Every structure is written in C-alpha cells, then in structure tokens.
Amino acid sequence: MKFFMYLLEFYAAYKNRKTGEVLAEWESKGLTKKIYDNYWVYHTEAIENAYADIDNLLNTGKHAW
C-alpha cells in the first residue's frame, strides 16, 4: 500500500495535478485495481516506466508492455 500511495502522489506531481483528481480519474476508468495489482512490475522498474504504463492505461485501457 505504501508504494501505491507513493506512486499516486508522484504521478500526480509529475502531471502537475492534485492527487485526488488523479485517483478520481483512475477510479472513473476502472484502473485503480489494475495499477495497484501491477505493484511488482512498477516497483522493480524506473518510475518513468510506471508513468508511461499508466498513461497508456488511461489512453488505451491496456498496459504498455
């Protein structure tokens, strides 16, 4: 859970948005669980790869890799 919060907060800062807005967007698109469940992949790669994957999920609904 700690990494998820870290990811959410840093992704929001990366996008220059509020954390609540980002989480609401993830929730509205049904992506929160998908992002949460991808912990091991995101946790072991560069954080920029996680951002790119999340962007792809938001745009296409599919993981980038």
Side-chain angles (χ1 to χ4, degrees):
M1 185 61 152
K2 286 182 181 180
F3 180 76
F4 179 79
M5 294 306 299
Y6 169 88
L7 179 62
L8 174 60
E9 290 175 3
F10 276 77
Y11 181 82
Y14 171 74
K15 293 292 185 176
N16 199 26
R17 297 176 60 197
K18 294 181 178 179
T19 303
E21 292 173 0
V22 170
L23 184 58
E25 181 182 26
W26 292 359
E27 284 289 324
S28 73
K29 295 189 175 201
L31 297 176
T32 304
K33 183 169 179 5
K34 235 179 197 182
I35 293 167
Y36 185 89
D37 288 348
N38 216 33
Y39 164 82
W40 288 108
V41 174
Y42 295 152
H43 191 258
T44 58
E45 294 188 357
I47 197 71
E48 292 82 7
N49 290 346
Y51 298 163
D53 191 55
I54 292 167
D55 287 342
N56 205 65
L57 282 168
L58 290 167
N59 293 326
T60 69
K62 296 179 182 178
H63 289 283
W65 297 270

